[in-house]
Amino acid sequence: MHGISSPSTTDPLNLSDAINVAEKFQVHLWVKICKEELINRFKSLQHPEIMSLPLAAVTEILKSDDLEVRSEDDVYKFTLEWALRNYRTKQQRHKVMESELGSLIRFHYMSNDMLVHCNTNYDEFFSMQFIREILRTAINDKQKVPERHFVERAYKHKPLMVSEVLEPRRSCTIWLTFTKDECLRLVRSSPVRSMDFDFHDGRFFIQVAAARDGRFLLSLEVVCLPSHDYFLCTAASKAKGDGEYVGIHSWEFGLRTQDSGLYQDLFGTPLSEFLRDDSSYFNDGKLHLQVKIEAIQQPRFRIRMNWLRSQTNNL
């Protein structure tokens, strides 16, 4: 009896046809192999022939959790470009996007900028009723403590959820989730950065890394300068069992004091201890982090130290 080998064709269209034939004759193992080959070949969404793929193949690709893209924004832009190239009329694009492809885009992981763009540039691809309902759900999911389970793709920029409060003092809270495997990979890979987020008229992102001795590090980075220049940052993790967030580390972050980019040791323990099977930091194999950033007045002694440092540098 002959075994089943991987598809040998290099033609993406032939690969898609092979999936259709295998599904028609219910050759389930061959279907699985062909779909894995299809996703592996097109997971970056950059293959030159991806725009010529049929709808069934694009659907399988968009279902995958293994797409290697910077963020869900790239998935959204690819899907719109593919629909524009393959369907001539607006009515056709509306039908395929709303009945087939729109539900495969993970809007809750898209950036706020792209969601704003969706809200004003949807007519060629979505009806107003469809896109408004999608965006209402996505924005609601992004602005509250994560309660529902969403599967992340292999994003290069880590998705996050943000909630901003204006009173009594302006603050924002960010939630990120890491699997144990992602934490372990930090030891042998470059730092992982989050998507950008806006706060106090500025733009930031969070970056995590592992120290040489394996400690879990986090830093707050500035992309665009905010209108305020001094913040109190508090990190917490969801405790095992009751699911409450417990404070683990706090630090002050000042633009004038050159605190941007300085890594903070959140847990004070090597990853070998941090990742133990009985670790209290992981719930169902996931580390749930919460980082609160609060605008505060810079302490006078820090201002005085900065002034003394500037005078010394001028000598």
Side-chain angles (χ1 to χ4, degrees):
M1 181 177 178
H2 296 289
I4 298 179
S5 59
S6 297
S8 58
T9 178
T10 57
D11 187 340
L13 295 178
N14 288 345
L15 185 58
S16 179
D17 290 340
I19 295 175
N20 293 333
V21 172
E23 288 181 333
K24 180 178 180 180
F25 292 99
Q26 297 185 339
V27 186
H28 300 300
L29 179 57
W30 184 249
V31 171
K32 182 176 183 292
I33 292 173
C34 288
K35 287 182 177 181
E36 288 176 352
E37 177 65 20
L38 179 74
I39 293 168
N40 186 60
R41 191 175 300 179
F42 295 101
K43 60 186 177 182
S44 70
L45 303 184
Q46 298 297 316
H47 194 287
E49 296 179 315
I50 194 170
M51 290 299 169
S52 62
L53 290 178
L55 174 61
V58 171
T59 299
E60 288 301 326
I61 292 169
L62 295 183
K63 287 178 181 177
S64 174
D65 299 333
D66 299 321
L67 298 186
E68 295 179 353
V69 292
R70 183 177 60 179
S71 71
E72 194 68 18
D73 292 4
D74 294 342
V75 178
Y76 177 77
K77 288 185 286 188
F78 157 75
T79 308
L80 265 56
E81 184 179 356
W82 181 87
L84 193 61
R85 290 196 187 189
N86 287 275
Y87 294 89
R88 293 186 177 181
T89 69
K90 181 168 68 174
Q91 290 72 22
Q92 289 175 324
R93 291 192 291 272
H94 276 212
K95 183 177 180 180
V96 74
M97 291 299 294
E98 295 184 11
S99 64
E100 301 284 348
L101 301 181
S103 61
L104 302 179
I105 300 170
R106 303 175 189 184
F107 286 89
H108 45 271
Y109 283 146
M110 286 167 51
S111 68
N112 290 337
D113 286 347
M114 187 57 70
L115 292 178
V116 170
H117 177 81
C118 292
N119 192 41
T120 55
N121 297 272
Y122 60 84
D123 186 56
E124 287 294 324
F125 304 95
F126 304 102
S127 66
M128 178 185 293
Q129 181 180 358
F130 182 88
I131 197 65
R132 293 290 165 84
E133 181 60 32
I134 286 287
L135 293 180
R136 186 181 300 112
T137 301
I139 293 171
N140 184 54
D141 289 335
K142 287 172 71 71
Q143 294 183 337
K144 65 180 181 180
V145 178
E147 296 175 354
R148 296 164 56 190
H149 174 68
F150 297 125
V151 177
E152 294 182 14
R153 305 189 201 266
Y155 299 120
K156 297 176 182 177
H157 290 180
K158 192 74 176 170
L160 45 74
M161 296 185 182
V162 181
S163 176
E164 185 170 353
V165 176
L166 300 180
E167 299 292 343
R169 286 189 295 191
R170 194 167 181 179
S171 67
C172 73
T173 304
I174 296 99
W175 292 271
L176 306 97
T177 301
F178 296 88
T179 64
K180 272 194 174 183
D181 286 342
E182 287 176 322
C183 294
L184 188 59
R185 284 199 296 270
L186 288 174
V187 178
R188 54 182 183 272
S189 66
S190 56
V192 174
R193 63 158 289 173
S194 75
M195 297 175 65
D196 294 348
F197 63 92
D198 298 325
F199 177 55
H200 233 302
D201 303 320
R203 179 158 291 189
F204 303 81
F205 67 89
I206 286 174
Q207 187 158 275
V208 298
R212 291 184 178 180
D213 61 0
R215 289 174 294 117
F216 188 97
L217 307 177
L218 180 145
S219 70
L220 180 63
E221 309 278 353
V222 178
V223 179
C224 297
L225 291 176
S227 56
H228 194 76
D229 61 8
Y230 206 77
F231 305 91
L232 173 64
C233 304
T234 305
S237 68
K238 183 184 287 188
K240 183 182 291 186
D242 58 14
E244 295 294 323
Y245 280 89
V246 178
I248 52 176
H249 185 72
S250 63
W251 69 101
E252 294 178 359
F253 175 89
L255 300 180
R256 296 179 184 178
T257 53
Q258 300 179 344
D259 293 330
S260 175
L262 295 180
Y263 279 109
Q264 304 292 321
D265 179 6
L266 292 193
F267 300 96
T269 183
L271 280 182
S272 57
E273 294 290 323
F274 172 66
L275 295 172
R276 291 188 317 179
D277 291 339
D278 61 349
S279 173
S280 61
Y281 298 115
F282 287 86
N283 285 269
D284 298 324
K286 291 183 173 62
L287 170 68
H288 300 278
L289 281 182
Q290 178 192 81
V291 180
K292 182 178 180 181
I293 306 170
E294 185 177 9
I296 63 173
Q297 293 298 317
Q298 184 173 352
R300 288 186 173 275
F301 76 89
R302 293 292 297 270
I303 298 175
R304 180 63 178 172
M305 287 299 295
N306 292 339
W307 180 83
L308 290 174
R309 189 180 296 115
S310 67
Q311 297 302 308
T312 303
N313 293 337
N314 292 330
L315 293 178

mmCIF file of all heavy atoms in Angstrom, residues 145-146 159-161 173-178 183 186 206-208 216-218 234-238 245-246 248-249 266-267 274 281 283 286-292:
data_model
loop_
_atom_site.group_PDB
_atom_site.id
_atom_site.type_symbol
_atom_site.label_atom_id
_atom_site.label_comp_id
_atom_site.label_asym_id
_atom_site.label_seq_id
_atom_site.Cartn_x
_atom_site.Cartn_y
_atom_site.Cartn_z
ATOM 1 N N VAL A 145 -11.503 44.815 30.091
ATOM 2 C CA VAL A 145 -10.691 43.686 30.547
ATOM 3 C C VAL A 145 -11.062 42.463 29.726
ATOM 4 O O VAL A 145 -12.240 42.144 29.584
ATOM 5 C CB VAL A 145 -10.935 43.399 32.043
ATOM 6 C CG1 VAL A 145 -10.114 42.200 32.496
ATOM 7 C CG2 VAL A 145 -10.574 44.626 32.870
ATOM 8 N N PRO A 146 -10.060 41.771 29.128
ATOM 9 C CA PRO A 146 -10.374 40.627 28.278
ATOM 10 C C PRO A 146 -11.188 39.569 29.036
ATOM 11 O O PRO A 146 -10.783 39.075 30.076
ATOM 12 C CB PRO A 146 -8.986 40.086 27.912
ATOM 13 C CG PRO A 146 -8.045 41.222 28.127
ATOM 14 C CD PRO A 146 -8.618 42.018 29.246
ATOM 15 N N PRO A 159 -0.615 42.031 19.896
ATOM 16 C CA PRO A 159 -1.872 42.753 20.104
ATOM 17 C C PRO A 159 -2.058 43.118 21.576
ATOM 18 O O PRO A 159 -1.544 42.446 22.470
ATOM 19 C CB PRO A 159 -2.942 41.746 19.669
ATOM 20 C CG PRO A 159 -2.226 40.727 18.858
ATOM 21 C CD PRO A 159 -0.838 40.670 19.414
ATOM 22 N N LEU A 160 -2.791 44.180 21.812
ATOM 23 C CA LEU A 160 -3.105 44.580 23.183
ATOM 24 C C LEU A 160 -4.483 45.193 23.227
ATOM 25 O O LEU A 160 -5.075 45.514 22.202
ATOM 26 C CB LEU A 160 -2.051 45.549 23.738
ATOM 27 C CG LEU A 160 -1.550 46.712 22.866
ATOM 28 C CD1 LEU A 160 -2.590 47.810 22.757
ATOM 29 C CD2 LEU A 160 -0.253 47.261 23.424
ATOM 30 N N MET A 161 -4.996 45.312 24.428
ATOM 31 C CA MET A 161 -6.268 45.989 24.651
ATOM 32 C C MET A 161 -6.001 47.189 25.554
ATOM 33 O O MET A 161 -5.189 47.117 26.478
ATOM 34 C CB MET A 161 -7.283 45.038 25.275
ATOM 35 C CG MET A 161 -7.655 43.881 24.369
ATOM 36 S SD MET A 161 -8.967 42.847 25.064
ATOM 37 C CE MET A 161 -9.079 41.584 23.785
ATOM 38 N N THR A 173 -4.936 51.806 30.804
ATOM 39 C CA THR A 173 -4.580 50.451 31.222
ATOM 40 C C THR A 173 -4.464 49.580 29.984
ATOM 41 O O THR A 173 -5.338 49.614 29.111
ATOM 42 C CB THR A 173 -5.626 49.866 32.182
ATOM 43 O OG1 THR A 173 -5.768 50.749 33.308
ATOM 44 C CG2 THR A 173 -5.201 48.494 32.674
ATOM 45 N N ILE A 174 -3.378 48.815 29.917
ATOM 46 C CA ILE A 174 -3.088 47.949 28.778
ATOM 47 C C ILE A 174 -3.075 46.508 29.251
ATOM 48 O O ILE A 174 -2.554 46.206 30.327
ATOM 49 C CB ILE A 174 -1.722 48.300 28.140
ATOM 50 C CG1 ILE A 174 -1.748 49.721 27.569
ATOM 51 C CG2 ILE A 174 -1.358 47.310 27.038
ATOM 52 C CD1 ILE A 174 -1.136 50.735 28.458
ATOM 53 N N TRP A 175 -3.663 45.625 28.444
ATOM 54 C CA TRP A 175 -3.631 44.192 28.742
ATOM 55 C C TRP A 175 -2.933 43.460 27.604
ATOM 56 O O TRP A 175 -3.228 43.699 26.425
ATOM 57 C CB TRP A 175 -5.042 43.634 28.901
ATOM 58 C CG TRP A 175 -5.776 44.130 30.106
ATOM 59 C CD1 TRP A 175 -5.779 43.580 31.355
ATOM 60 C CD2 TRP A 175 -6.636 45.272 30.192
ATOM 61 N NE1 TRP A 175 -6.567 44.299 32.206
ATOM 62 C CE2 TRP A 175 -7.108 45.348 31.522
ATOM 63 C CE3 TRP A 175 -7.049 46.234 29.263
ATOM 64 C CZ2 TRP A 175 -7.975 46.340 31.946
ATOM 65 C CZ3 TRP A 175 -7.899 47.223 29.681
ATOM 66 C CH2 TRP A 175 -8.366 47.277 31.018
ATOM 67 N N LEU A 176 -1.998 42.574 27.965
ATOM 68 C CA LEU A 176 -1.319 41.719 26.995
ATOM 69 C C LEU A 176 -1.324 40.290 27.511
ATOM 70 O O LEU A 176 -1.340 40.067 28.728
ATOM 71 C CB LEU A 176 0.140 42.143 26.766
ATOM 72 C CG LEU A 176 0.454 43.573 26.373
ATOM 73 C CD1 LEU A 176 0.842 44.370 27.601
ATOM 74 C CD2 LEU A 176 1.597 43.589 25.367
ATOM 75 N N THR A 177 -1.253 39.343 26.603
ATOM 76 C CA THR A 177 -1.230 37.932 26.975
ATOM 77 C C THR A 177 -0.064 37.237 26.274
ATOM 78 O O THR A 177 0.159 37.450 25.074
ATOM 79 C CB THR A 177 -2.547 37.234 26.586
ATOM 80 O OG1 THR A 177 -3.629 37.886 27.243
ATOM 81 C CG2 THR A 177 -2.528 35.762 26.993
ATOM 82 N N PHE A 178 0.679 36.427 27.042
ATOM 83 C CA PHE A 178 1.793 35.652 26.503
ATOM 84 C C PHE A 178 1.620 34.187 26.890
ATOM 85 O O PHE A 178 1.245 33.876 28.021
ATOM 86 C CB PHE A 178 3.140 36.147 27.063
ATOM 87 C CG PHE A 178 3.491 37.547 26.663
ATOM 88 C CD1 PHE A 178 3.064 38.628 27.434
ATOM 89 C CD2 PHE A 178 4.244 37.793 25.535
ATOM 90 C CE1 PHE A 178 3.384 39.922 27.072
ATOM 91 C CE2 PHE A 178 4.563 39.090 25.158
ATOM 92 C CZ PHE A 178 4.136 40.152 25.939
ATOM 93 N N CYS A 183 7.123 33.118 26.145
ATOM 94 C CA CYS A 183 8.059 33.563 27.184
ATOM 95 C C CYS A 183 9.384 32.823 27.062
ATOM 96 O O CYS A 183 10.463 33.416 27.210
ATOM 97 C CB CYS A 183 7.458 33.340 28.570
ATOM 98 S SG CYS A 183 6.001 34.364 28.930
ATOM 99 N N LEU A 186 11.720 34.080 24.333
ATOM 100 C CA LEU A 186 12.396 35.356 24.569
ATOM 101 C C LEU A 186 13.873 35.150 24.869
ATOM 102 O O LEU A 186 14.712 36.019 24.578
ATOM 103 C CB LEU A 186 11.741 36.088 25.739
ATOM 104 C CG LEU A 186 10.359 36.691 25.509
ATOM 105 C CD1 LEU A 186 9.805 37.240 26.808
ATOM 106 C CD2 LEU A 186 10.409 37.774 24.447
ATOM 107 N N ILE A 206 4.846 48.866 24.047
ATOM 108 C CA ILE A 206 5.497 48.101 25.111
ATOM 109 C C ILE A 206 6.394 47.047 24.479
ATOM 110 O O ILE A 206 6.042 46.436 23.470
ATOM 111 C CB ILE A 206 4.437 47.444 26.022
ATOM 112 C CG1 ILE A 206 3.793 48.520 26.899
ATOM 113 C CG2 ILE A 206 5.038 46.351 26.892
ATOM 114 C CD1 ILE A 206 2.642 48.031 27.740
ATOM 115 N N GLN A 207 7.553 46.859 25.072
ATOM 116 C CA GLN A 207 8.494 45.865 24.567
ATOM 117 C C GLN A 207 8.918 44.935 25.699
ATOM 118 O O GLN A 207 9.180 45.393 26.814
ATOM 119 C CB GLN A 207 9.731 46.554 23.977
ATOM 120 C CG GLN A 207 10.696 45.620 23.270
ATOM 121 C CD GLN A 207 11.565 46.371 22.284
ATOM 122 O OE1 GLN A 207 11.182 46.608 21.151
ATOM 123 N NE2 GLN A 207 12.752 46.755 22.711
ATOM 124 N N VAL A 208 8.956 43.639 25.426
ATOM 125 C CA VAL A 208 9.388 42.674 26.428
ATOM 126 C C VAL A 208 10.594 41.913 25.898
ATOM 127 O O VAL A 208 10.761 41.726 24.691
ATOM 128 C CB VAL A 208 8.259 41.687 26.817
ATOM 129 C CG1 VAL A 208 7.086 42.409 27.427
ATOM 130 C CG2 VAL A 208 7.827 40.863 25.617
ATOM 131 N N PHE A 216 12.467 38.164 33.146
ATOM 132 C CA PHE A 216 11.448 38.731 32.254
ATOM 133 C C PHE A 216 11.475 40.250 32.383
ATOM 134 O O PHE A 216 11.233 40.795 33.458
ATOM 135 C CB PHE A 216 10.069 38.175 32.636
ATOM 136 C CG PHE A 216 8.971 38.524 31.677
ATOM 137 C CD1 PHE A 216 8.590 37.632 30.689
ATOM 138 C CD2 PHE A 216 8.304 39.734 31.769
ATOM 139 C CE1 PHE A 216 7.570 37.941 29.803
ATOM 140 C CE2 PHE A 216 7.285 40.059 30.890
ATOM 141 C CZ PHE A 216 6.911 39.159 29.908
ATOM 142 N N LEU A 217 11.754 40.944 31.278
ATOM 143 C CA LEU A 217 11.905 42.393 31.297
ATOM 144 C C LEU A 217 10.833 43.059 30.443
ATOM 145 O O LEU A 217 10.378 42.509 29.435
ATOM 146 C CB LEU A 217 13.286 42.795 30.759
ATOM 147 C CG LEU A 217 14.499 42.134 31.410
ATOM 148 C CD1 LEU A 217 15.778 42.589 30.712
ATOM 149 C CD2 LEU A 217 14.565 42.474 32.898
ATOM 150 N N LEU A 218 10.447 44.273 30.846
ATOM 151 C CA LEU A 218 9.456 45.047 30.101
ATOM 152 C C LEU A 218 9.874 46.512 30.079
ATOM 153 O O LEU A 218 10.371 47.039 31.081
ATOM 154 C CB LEU A 218 8.084 44.891 30.738
ATOM 155 C CG LEU A 218 6.912 45.623 30.091
ATOM 156 C CD1 LEU A 218 5.633 44.785 30.210
ATOM 157 C CD2 LEU A 218 6.683 47.001 30.728
ATOM 158 N N THR A 234 2.406 50.916 36.636
ATOM 159 C CA THR A 234 2.190 49.809 37.557
ATOM 160 C C THR A 234 1.854 48.556 36.759
ATOM 161 O O THR A 234 0.908 48.571 35.954
ATOM 162 C CB THR A 234 1.042 50.106 38.532
ATOM 163 O OG1 THR A 234 1.305 51.345 39.208
ATOM 164 C CG2 THR A 234 0.908 48.998 39.552
ATOM 165 N N ALA A 235 2.619 47.488 36.971
ATOM 166 C CA ALA A 235 2.381 46.225 36.276
ATOM 167 C C ALA A 235 1.733 45.234 37.229
ATOM 168 O O ALA A 235 2.053 45.186 38.421
ATOM 169 C CB ALA A 235 3.683 45.651 35.733
ATOM 170 N N ALA A 236 0.805 44.449 36.711
ATOM 171 C CA ALA A 236 0.131 43.418 37.492
ATOM 172 C C ALA A 236 -0.048 42.192 36.623
ATOM 173 O O ALA A 236 -0.049 42.275 35.395
ATOM 174 C CB ALA A 236 -1.223 43.923 37.997
ATOM 175 N N SER A 237 -0.185 41.039 37.246
ATOM 176 C CA SER A 237 -0.459 39.804 36.516
ATOM 177 C C SER A 237 -1.666 39.121 37.134
ATOM 178 O O SER A 237 -1.942 39.269 38.325
ATOM 179 C CB SER A 237 0.757 38.868 36.530
ATOM 180 O OG SER A 237 0.997 38.375 37.836
ATOM 181 N N LYS A 238 -2.384 38.379 36.298
ATOM 182 C CA LYS A 238 -3.575 37.689 36.779
ATOM 183 C C LYS A 238 -3.164 36.473 37.600
ATOM 184 O O LYS A 238 -2.434 35.600 37.124
ATOM 185 C CB LYS A 238 -4.467 37.267 35.620
ATOM 186 C CG LYS A 238 -5.768 36.603 36.050
ATOM 187 C CD LYS A 238 -6.595 36.117 34.868
ATOM 188 C CE LYS A 238 -7.233 37.281 34.147
ATOM 189 N NZ LYS A 238 -8.190 36.783 33.108
ATOM 190 N N TYR A 245 -6.159 40.512 39.236
ATOM 191 C CA TYR A 245 -4.842 41.051 38.885
ATOM 192 C C TYR A 245 -4.132 41.519 40.156
ATOM 193 O O TYR A 245 -4.685 42.281 40.949
ATOM 194 C CB TYR A 245 -4.972 42.198 37.894
ATOM 195 C CG TYR A 245 -5.183 41.719 36.467
ATOM 196 C CD1 TYR A 245 -6.459 41.495 35.974
ATOM 197 C CD2 TYR A 245 -4.091 41.469 35.637
ATOM 198 C CE1 TYR A 245 -6.653 41.040 34.666
ATOM 199 C CE2 TYR A 245 -4.269 41.024 34.340
ATOM 200 C CZ TYR A 245 -5.555 40.811 33.871
ATOM 201 O OH TYR A 245 -5.732 40.350 32.576
ATOM 202 N N VAL A 246 -2.890 41.053 40.329
ATOM 203 C CA VAL A 246 -2.105 41.354 41.524
ATOM 204 C C VAL A 246 -0.876 42.157 41.105
ATOM 205 O O VAL A 246 -0.145 41.772 40.177
ATOM 206 C CB VAL A 246 -1.664 40.055 42.229
ATOM 207 C CG1 VAL A 246 -0.811 40.379 43.446
ATOM 208 C CG2 VAL A 246 -2.879 39.224 42.629
ATOM 209 N N ILE A 248 2.722 43.580 40.696
ATOM 210 C CA ILE A 248 4.022 42.923 40.788
ATOM 211 C C ILE A 248 5.195 43.893 40.716
ATOM 212 O O ILE A 248 6.286 43.594 41.201
ATOM 213 C CB ILE A 248 4.192 41.853 39.678
ATOM 214 C CG1 ILE A 248 3.897 42.465 38.307
ATOM 215 C CG2 ILE A 248 3.298 40.656 39.938
ATOM 216 C CD1 ILE A 248 4.138 41.528 37.139
ATOM 217 N N HIS A 249 4.970 45.085 40.130
ATOM 218 C CA HIS A 249 6.100 46.014 39.985
ATOM 219 C C HIS A 249 5.559 47.392 39.619
ATOM 220 O O HIS A 249 4.546 47.512 38.927
ATOM 221 C CB HIS A 249 7.039 45.516 38.879
ATOM 222 C CG HIS A 249 8.292 46.334 38.735
ATOM 223 N ND1 HIS A 249 9.316 46.299 39.658
ATOM 224 C CD2 HIS A 249 8.685 47.202 37.774
ATOM 225 C CE1 HIS A 249 10.295 47.106 39.274
ATOM 226 N NE2 HIS A 249 9.935 47.664 38.136
ATOM 227 N N LEU A 266 10.158 42.657 35.962
ATOM 228 C CA LEU A 266 8.806 42.597 36.524
ATOM 229 C C LEU A 266 8.663 41.613 37.678
ATOM 230 O O LEU A 266 7.966 41.871 38.647
ATOM 231 C CB LEU A 266 7.789 42.227 35.428
ATOM 232 C CG LEU A 266 7.539 43.257 34.329
ATOM 233 C CD1 LEU A 266 6.305 42.870 33.531
ATOM 234 C CD2 LEU A 266 7.385 44.662 34.890
ATOM 235 N N PHE A 267 9.311 40.451 37.570
ATOM 236 C CA PHE A 267 9.045 39.385 38.523
ATOM 237 C C PHE A 267 10.207 39.111 39.479
ATOM 238 O O PHE A 267 10.031 38.408 40.465
ATOM 239 C CB PHE A 267 8.682 38.093 37.773
ATOM 240 C CG PHE A 267 7.466 38.242 36.897
ATOM 241 C CD1 PHE A 267 7.599 38.514 35.551
ATOM 242 C CD2 PHE A 267 6.194 38.148 37.433
ATOM 243 C CE1 PHE A 267 6.492 38.663 34.740
ATOM 244 C CE2 PHE A 267 5.076 38.295 36.629
ATOM 245 C CZ PHE A 267 5.220 38.559 35.278
ATOM 246 N N PHE A 274 10.227 31.184 36.990
ATOM 247 C CA PHE A 274 9.008 31.846 36.539
ATOM 248 C C PHE A 274 8.117 30.909 35.720
ATOM 249 O O PHE A 274 6.887 30.982 35.789
ATOM 250 C CB PHE A 274 9.430 33.073 35.726
ATOM 251 C CG PHE A 274 8.334 33.783 35.011
ATOM 252 C CD1 PHE A 274 7.337 34.436 35.706
ATOM 253 C CD2 PHE A 274 8.312 33.824 33.622
ATOM 254 C CE1 PHE A 274 6.337 35.108 35.034
ATOM 255 C CE2 PHE A 274 7.312 34.494 32.956
ATOM 256 C CZ PHE A 274 6.332 35.137 33.662
ATOM 257 N N TYR A 281 1.934 32.509 38.192
ATOM 258 C CA TYR A 281 1.720 33.590 37.239
ATOM 259 C C TYR A 281 0.945 33.160 35.996
ATOM 260 O O TYR A 281 0.494 34.014 35.228
ATOM 261 C CB TYR A 281 3.066 34.182 36.798
ATOM 262 C CG TYR A 281 3.852 34.786 37.940
ATOM 263 C CD1 TYR A 281 5.077 34.243 38.331
ATOM 264 C CD2 TYR A 281 3.384 35.893 38.621
ATOM 265 C CE1 TYR A 281 5.804 34.792 39.367
ATOM 266 C CE2 TYR A 281 4.101 36.458 39.666
ATOM 267 C CZ TYR A 281 5.312 35.896 40.039
ATOM 268 O OH TYR A 281 6.025 36.440 41.068
ATOM 269 N N ASN A 283 -2.156 31.143 33.974
ATOM 270 C CA ASN A 283 -3.500 30.577 34.011
ATOM 271 C C ASN A 283 -3.725 29.830 32.704
ATOM 272 O O ASN A 283 -3.715 30.438 31.623
ATOM 273 C CB ASN A 283 -4.548 31.685 34.147
ATOM 274 C CG ASN A 283 -4.607 32.265 35.539
ATOM 275 O OD1 ASN A 283 -5.355 31.800 36.371
ATOM 276 N ND2 ASN A 283 -3.794 33.296 35.794
ATOM 277 N N LYS A 286 -1.085 30.541 30.180
ATOM 278 C CA LYS A 286 -0.958 31.908 29.665
ATOM 279 C C LYS A 286 -0.642 32.885 30.790
ATOM 280 O O LYS A 286 -1.164 32.779 31.897
ATOM 281 C CB LYS A 286 -2.234 32.340 28.950
ATOM 282 C CG LYS A 286 -2.504 31.618 27.636
ATOM 283 C CD LYS A 286 -3.754 32.169 26.973
ATOM 284 C CE LYS A 286 -3.937 31.581 25.582
ATOM 285 N NZ LYS A 286 -4.113 30.120 25.618
ATOM 286 N N LEU A 287 0.243 33.844 30.459
ATOM 287 C CA LEU A 287 0.562 34.947 31.357
ATOM 288 C C LEU A 287 -0.257 36.154 30.923
ATOM 289 O O LEU A 287 -0.117 36.639 29.802
ATOM 290 C CB LEU A 287 2.057 35.270 31.282
ATOM 291 C CG LEU A 287 2.510 36.562 31.975
ATOM 292 C CD1 LEU A 287 2.371 36.443 33.487
ATOM 293 C CD2 LEU A 287 3.950 36.910 31.594
ATOM 294 N N HIS A 288 -1.122 36.627 31.813
ATOM 295 C CA HIS A 288 -1.953 37.792 31.522
ATOM 296 C C HIS A 288 -1.359 38.991 32.256
ATOM 297 O O HIS A 288 -1.353 39.033 33.490
ATOM 298 C CB HIS A 288 -3.388 37.553 31.974
ATOM 299 C CG HIS A 288 -4.045 36.378 31.310
ATOM 300 N ND1 HIS A 288 -4.618 36.455 30.061
ATOM 301 C CD2 HIS A 288 -4.192 35.092 31.716
ATOM 302 C CE1 HIS A 288 -5.113 35.276 29.733
ATOM 303 N NE2 HIS A 288 -4.867 34.431 30.713
ATOM 304 N N LEU A 289 -0.877 39.966 31.491
ATOM 305 C CA LEU A 289 -0.253 41.153 32.067
ATOM 306 C C LEU A 289 -1.168 42.360 31.937
ATOM 307 O O LEU A 289 -1.867 42.531 30.937
ATOM 308 C CB LEU A 289 1.068 41.460 31.365
ATOM 309 C CG LEU A 289 2.305 40.654 31.746
ATOM 310 C CD1 LEU A 289 3.507 41.154 30.954
ATOM 311 C CD2 LEU A 289 2.588 40.746 33.236
ATOM 312 N N GLN A 290 -1.119 43.191 32.953
ATOM 313 C CA GLN A 290 -1.841 44.456 32.959
ATOM 314 C C GLN A 290 -0.831 45.558 33.306
ATOM 315 O O GLN A 290 -0.103 45.448 34.291
ATOM 316 C CB GLN A 290 -2.959 44.412 33.994
ATOM 317 C CG GLN A 290 -3.761 45.699 34.139
ATOM 318 C CD GLN A 290 -4.641 45.653 35.370
ATOM 319 O OE1 GLN A 290 -4.177 45.907 36.480
ATOM 320 N NE2 GLN A 290 -5.909 45.333 35.186
ATOM 321 N N VAL A 291 -0.766 46.592 32.482
ATOM 322 C CA VAL A 291 0.136 47.719 32.745
ATOM 323 C C VAL A 291 -0.700 48.993 32.780
ATOM 324 O O VAL A 291 -1.356 49.348 31.794
ATOM 325 C CB VAL A 291 1.242 47.842 31.677
ATOM 326 C CG1 VAL A 291 2.150 49.030 32.001
ATOM 327 C CG2 VAL A 291 2.060 46.556 31.600
ATOM 328 N N LYS A 292 -0.695 49.670 33.924
ATOM 329 C CA LYS A 292 -1.424 50.928 34.069
ATOM 330 C C LYS A 292 -0.433 52.080 34.009
ATOM 331 O O LYS A 292 0.595 52.074 34.687
ATOM 332 C CB LYS A 292 -2.191 50.965 35.395
ATOM 333 C CG LYS A 292 -3.012 52.239 35.583
ATOM 334 C CD LYS A 292 -3.797 52.202 36.892
ATOM 335 C CE LYS A 292 -4.620 53.476 37.065
ATOM 336 N NZ LYS A 292 -5.376 53.469 38.328
#
